[in-house]
DNA sequence: ATGCGTTATATTTTCTCAAACATAACGACG
DNA sequence: CGTCGTTATGTTTGAGAAAATATAACGCAT
């Protein structure tokens, strides 16, 4: 491929990987980041803010995740101490770990292919 | 991952892979399909029509490809027999082949990961 | 009780990207 | 020389997604 590419430009291989159902996305790199932020912040709104995303969008993602999981991956509470909050359930933590590992293998795949291509 | 997923839904692994520069995409599955169609049809407009995409969009993609390649991957001619046309150059054919092979390895990767996940 | 920060949710606005539309130029061919 | 199908390119429209805005409810804490 190297000989086909314009010599002045800097080429790289990139990609996305996700788990989907017939009519919705389930897990992807963005949702992984969101779950991680929720874990760290203990709150959907803080996680959204941290990621520069609207609260509504973050909430929708959490809702989609929970709706498609066997058991909720994020547990939320309205009102109470600190106004409420959100925490990643054990199932959610397992999801984070498994997807993170998948993502790492994907990165390795891309790195290997990039080495072959360029 | 299997135990985390809602049993009523059908999950699958999907993804995209592409070659990019700092400020544009160079090659991806859509462009591969377009190049293939141009090869078959001998015309950008027919290829676009075949893919249900506007001619302008197809032309823009071809323009982007040619601008980033070391040598044009599609050669076009305005006017003349059949009103003009487009053909994939040898460089373009090599690009098609190499990206197709990459895409196949990517599919294999995803299949292997899916087998592990579900 | 009142305030506070959060979840939950609907509605409106804005943004972005592709489609649609509109022309012009080109060159063979009848 | 006019027609035809194509490339080439600018402008406008439209659709869908994301953001912004707006409320309400919740429950601890003061």
């Amino acid at each position: 491929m190297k000989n086909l590419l314009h010599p002045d430009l800097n080429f790289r291989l990139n990609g996305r990987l996700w788990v989907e159902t017939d009519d919705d996305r389930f897990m992807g790199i963005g949702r992984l980041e969101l779950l991680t932020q929720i874990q760290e912040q203990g709150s959907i709104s803080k996680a959204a803010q941290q990621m520069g995303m609207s609260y509504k969008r973050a909430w929708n993602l959490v809702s989609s995740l929970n709706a498609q999981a066997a058991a909720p991956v994020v547990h939320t509470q309205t009102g109470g101490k600190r106004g409420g909050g959100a925490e990643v359930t054990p199932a959610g933590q397992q999801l984070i770990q498994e997807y993170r590992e998948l993502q790492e293998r994907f990165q390795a795949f891309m790195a290997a292919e990039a080495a072959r291509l360029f």
Side-chain angles (χ1 to χ4, degrees), chain A:
Chain A
M1 166 114 19
K2 184 124 189 323
N3 58 320
L4 300 174
L5 308 178
H6 195 299
D8 293 357
L9 299 175
N10 206 317
F11 292 87
R12 50 182 185 273
L13 185 63
N14 205 348
R16 288 295 173 99
L17 206 62
W18 63 87
V19 176
E20 66 185 13
T21 60
D22 289 331
D23 38 31
D24 198 5
R25 188 164 296 199
F26 174 61
M27 193 61 190
I29 182 72
R31 291 171 190 226
L32 171 63
E33 174 69 12
L34 179 60
L35 287 177
T36 304
Q37 285 295 328
I38 291 173
Q39 210 171 24
E40 289 176 8
Q41 307 289 334
S43 143
I44 295 177
S45 69
K46 288 221 180 68
Q49 183 174 337
Q50 203 70 22
M51 294 180 65
M53 141 191 329
S54 71
Y55 167 77
K56 181 177 176 64
R57 173 157 174 68
W59 186 89
N60 280 338
L61 291 173
V62 168
S63 169
S64 162
L65 277 165
N66 280 341
Q68 296 178 95
V73 294
V74 172
H75 173 257
T76 62
Q77 187 182 0
T78 75
K81 195 177 306 186
R82 291 175 44 243
E87 63 176 6
V88 176
T89 66
Q93 291 170 25
Q94 193 190 334
L95 178 60
I96 287 177
Q97 187 182 355
E98 290 198 33
Y99 191 82
R100 203 173 261 159
E101 288 167 5
L102 168 62
Q103 186 66 26
E104 272 166 22
R105 292 193 295 272
F106 181 44
Q107 293 293 340
F109 168 81
M110 284 197 293
E113 291 293 339
R116 183 196 296 230
L117 285 182
F118 312 126

